[in-house]
Amino acid sequence: MKQVLMLLILLMMSHNARTQDWLDTSLYPFQHKYMPLETGQMHYIDEGAGDVILFVHGTPTWSILYRDFVKELSKTHRCIAIDHLGFGLSTLSTNTTATPQFHADNLSTFIKALHLQKITLVVHDFGGPIGLAAAIENAKCIDKIVMFNTWLWATNSNADAQKIDKLVNSWLGKFLYLNLNISPKVLLKKGFSNKNHLSKKLHNQYIKPFPDNESRTPLLDLAKALIGASSWYQQQWQKLDILSDKEWLILWGSKDEFITMDYLAKWKQRLPQAKTIEFDCGHFVQEEKTEDSIKRIASFLE
């Protein structure tokens, strides 16, 4: 047992040493915490006290996406933001396929291990199906849900998703993701309607967690899962009534070129009780409409 604990400590120390080379603590001034899981170390931050707000990111982001939310909302709440295994400051064992199902299971384990209750769950992008699946699994622990641009239904009939799926499953897609790091370098930038909100300093914080081919594999795994996990998304969609008694807030970027207003229309139809606010921005509402969305969440919590 002592040997196992020592190995975990060494893994955490070596990972911390590697990340300090690129991590900008002026942007991300938080204490690092780690939870050992079967296939890696899940990094998270845990700031403030009170009722829990649990932030779940998508791809190719990590918990830095919610840095300003944590800084502000931790004045009144306990704010926890995780990094999925293989993202941000978390580690991931080699030869592990990081599907949305995999990440959802890890998040569910995390919720149970920390005995979290009365959670306001905040999700975005792939963090939507990941976080909502974990919420369905732990419904008694969830009070409120805040959604940024995301989905939770079958994707295999979506024409845009089909094009992406064809690319990422080709040799070219693999080359673009693993050799050129296209996801944080190019695709993330395309998600902004106003590129002025993505400074070079901030952009580097999204690029640097993926320095080599191996570290970029989780990005490719999720890209392949856009359609590859279609039936699993639909299964969660069919179970969503488990969360029907929760309070919902939808914050939506209306200029998102992929997760479009058609997606929002489907959410409105399924969740007519949800409070919905549209912002004149792209996919990353958290970066383009930071102050406005923080105020909306704070008001929702009150």
Side-chain angles (χ1 to χ4, degrees):
M1 187 65 180
K2 288 183 178 179
Q3 290 177 330
V4 173
L5 289 173
M6 183 59 69
L7 178 60
L8 289 174
I9 291 169
L10 288 172
L11 281 170
M12 290 168 63
M13 290 174 62
S14 63
H15 186 64
N16 281 335
R18 179 174 69 83
T19 58
Q20 294 311 308
D21 294 335
W22 59 264
L23 183 63
D24 189 330
T25 54
S26 67
L27 289 174
Y28 193 81
F30 307 113
Q31 180 183 354
H32 305 299
K33 296 190 175 185
Y34 290 85
M35 178 176 290
L37 298 172
E38 188 175 340
T39 52
Q41 295 280 334
M42 179 177 280
H43 169 266
Y44 66 101
I45 54 176
D46 190 342
E47 303 280 327
D51 290 342
V52 174
I53 309 175
L54 178 59
F55 297 92
V56 184
H57 67 85
T59 183
T61 57
W62 56 288
S63 57
I64 198 171
L65 179 69
Y66 296 111
R67 64 197 178 280
D68 293 322
F69 292 73
V70 172
K71 290 172 189 175
E72 182 62 29
L73 296 173
S74 62
K75 295 174 183 177
T76 54
H77 289 74
R78 181 185 177 189
C79 291
I80 301 173
I82 66 158
D83 293 338
H84 299 306
L85 296 192
F87 288 78
L89 305 182
S90 292
T91 62
L92 178 67
S93 302
T94 55
N95 300 320
T96 301
T97 303
T99 63
Q101 302 95 307
F102 167 81
H103 292 304
D105 288 343
N106 290 333
L107 180 58
S108 184
T109 299
F110 180 87
I111 290 170
K112 290 179 173 72
L114 290 187
H115 305 290
L116 301 181
Q117 300 289 331
K118 298 184 69 176
I119 300 168
T120 295
L121 181 69
V122 181
V123 300
H124 176 238
D125 188 79
F126 268 92
I130 292 167
L132 293 173
I136 290 167
E137 181 71 20
N138 300 274
K140 292 181 179 179
C141 305
I142 308 296
D143 267 9
K144 299 180 175 70
I145 298 168
V146 178
M147 286 197 307
F148 293 93
N149 298 45
T150 189
W151 76 96
L152 190 70
W153 49 79
T155 51
N156 56 0
S157 62
N158 182 284
D160 291 329
Q162 289 172 357
K163 292 175 184 177
I164 294 171
D165 186 67
K166 185 176 180 180
L167 174 63
V168 298
N169 282 287
S170 69
W171 69 267
L172 177 59
K174 184 176 180 180
F175 179 81
L176 291 172
Y177 268 80
L178 300 185
N179 294 82
L180 299 185
N181 203 18
I182 190 175
S183 189
K185 282 187 176 180
V186 179
L187 300 182
L188 180 135
K189 194 171 184 178
K190 287 178 71 67
F192 284 73
S193 66
N194 184 346
K195 305 297 191 290
N196 292 330
H197 289 285
L198 184 64
S199 66
K200 184 176 180 180
K201 177 181 179 181
L202 176 59
H203 198 185
N204 278 334
Q205 295 300 292
Y206 286 117
I207 294 171
K208 294 295 185 180
F210 309 104
D212 52 37
N213 291 30
E214 183 179 321
S215 65
R216 296 165 192 165
T217 301
L219 297 172
L220 182 59
D221 287 343
L222 281 188
K224 288 181 176 180
L226 181 60
I227 280 185
S230 179
S231 60
W232 179 78
Y233 305 140
Q234 187 64 22
Q235 289 169 13
Q236 308 313 307
W237 181 247
Q238 292 168 352
K239 293 189 284 187
L240 194 64
D241 285 346
I242 293 172
L243 303 175
S244 62
D245 62 332
K246 312 303 177 185
E247 295 181 59
W248 293 76
L249 172 65
I250 301 175
L251 304 176
W252 202 268
S254 62
K255 290 185 176 179
D256 192 332
E257 293 182 5
F258 182 71
I259 303 181
T260 63
M261 295 297 287
D262 290 340
Y263 286 68
L264 177 59
K266 189 158 185 171
W267 279 118
K268 285 182 174 181
Q269 185 178 19
R270 183 66 188 266
L271 300 170
Q273 78 277 22
K275 183 175 183 181
T276 304
I277 295 140
E278 298 172 24
F279 293 104
D280 183 27
C281 67
H283 182 65
F284 298 101
V285 180
Q286 301 93 326
E287 298 287 9
E288 292 195 63
K289 297 293 181 180
T290 309
E291 291 185 9
D292 289 344
S293 49
I294 289 173
K295 288 178 182 177
R296 296 292 188 174
I297 292 174
S299 177
F300 176 64
L301 293 172
E302 290 172 1

